[in-house]
Amino acid sequence: MLSTYRAATLNAVVAPADTTAFFVISGSATVTRRVRKIRVSGSTLTTLAVGSVVAQKRSTAQSGGTATALTRTPVDSAFPAAATDGLVSVYTAVPTDGTLVGTLACRRQVWKSATVVDAPFADIEFDFDNKADDGRLGIPLHGVAQSVTLAFGAAPASALTLAIEVEWTEEAGS
């Protein structure tokens, strides 16, 4: 079994109203990371709107902005600690995006107003557990420059408050 890890925001965070990445998980110089799942939940803004979140693969690292690193947690206590290089972060101020390889997936969602308390939240989940040609799951990231990011398809009218969680595996070699 591959060593599996998760990270999540502790509370809701405020993502910038922009089309640059608000979340990034990048590769490592010492292991190959495979991004298996990313979930965005509890999305609210000042007024009801419909928007999209896109998952994208990048070949160069993000720079600038204000990022909060998420705690990397092994799913099984027998797994080694996660590699500490590369980013697993959420942005609260706009970064400069790395070079886009392409869009992996897009999900549309109704973002509810922060003042509406009785409507249920709809989660967005990106599930990359498709088997690759070699039988392994997830989107592989080789080296710290490669990443999977989340961004809004179009800039929302206001910043969004949301929560994020991610699951990945790590294996020897990069």
Side-chain angles (χ1 to χ4, degrees):
M1 176 178 193
L2 290 175
S3 297
T4 303
Y5 304 88
R6 288 190 174 191
T9 54
L10 293 175
N11 294 299
V13 295
V14 179
D18 198 87
T19 58
T20 58
F22 61 86
F23 170 79
V24 62
I25 178 168
S26 63
S28 164
T30 59
V31 298
T32 297
R33 280 199 179 107
R34 290 181 177 273
V35 181
R36 296 181 62 188
K37 295 178 185 177
I38 305 173
R39 180 185 308 234
V40 178
S41 62
S43 303
T44 59
L45 46 77
T46 55
T47 59
L48 182 72
V50 175
S52 60
V53 175
V54 292
Q56 299 173 313
K57 188 158 185 185
R58 298 193 177 274
S59 62
T60 60
Q62 308 294 107
S63 62
T66 302
T68 300
L70 304 181
T71 301
R72 303 160 197 227
T73 307
V75 172
D76 186 326
S77 61
F79 295 154
T84 56
D85 63 335
L87 299 173
V88 182
S89 300
V90 62
Y91 286 90
T92 55
V94 176
T96 299
D97 280 333
T99 304
L100 180 66
V101 174
T103 299
L104 300 168
C106 178
R107 303 283 186 274
R108 289 185 48 82
Q109 181 182 47
V110 174
W111 294 323
K112 65 185 236 177
S113 165
T115 60
V116 177
V117 294
D118 61 350
F121 287 108
D123 293 349
I124 293 177
E125 184 167 304
F126 296 97
D127 185 347
F128 300 117
D129 266 353
N130 53 325
K131 288 200 175 180
D133 292 338
D134 60 5
R136 290 181 272 185
L137 304 174
I139 304 294
L141 300 175
H142 306 283
V144 295
Q146 291 188 358
S147 64
V148 171
T149 62
L150 295 183
F152 299 118
S158 67
L160 263 80
T161 301
L162 45 78
I164 300 172
E165 60 187 69
V166 59
E167 179 179 295
W168 72 94
T169 60
E170 293 184 355
E171 57 194 80
S174 66

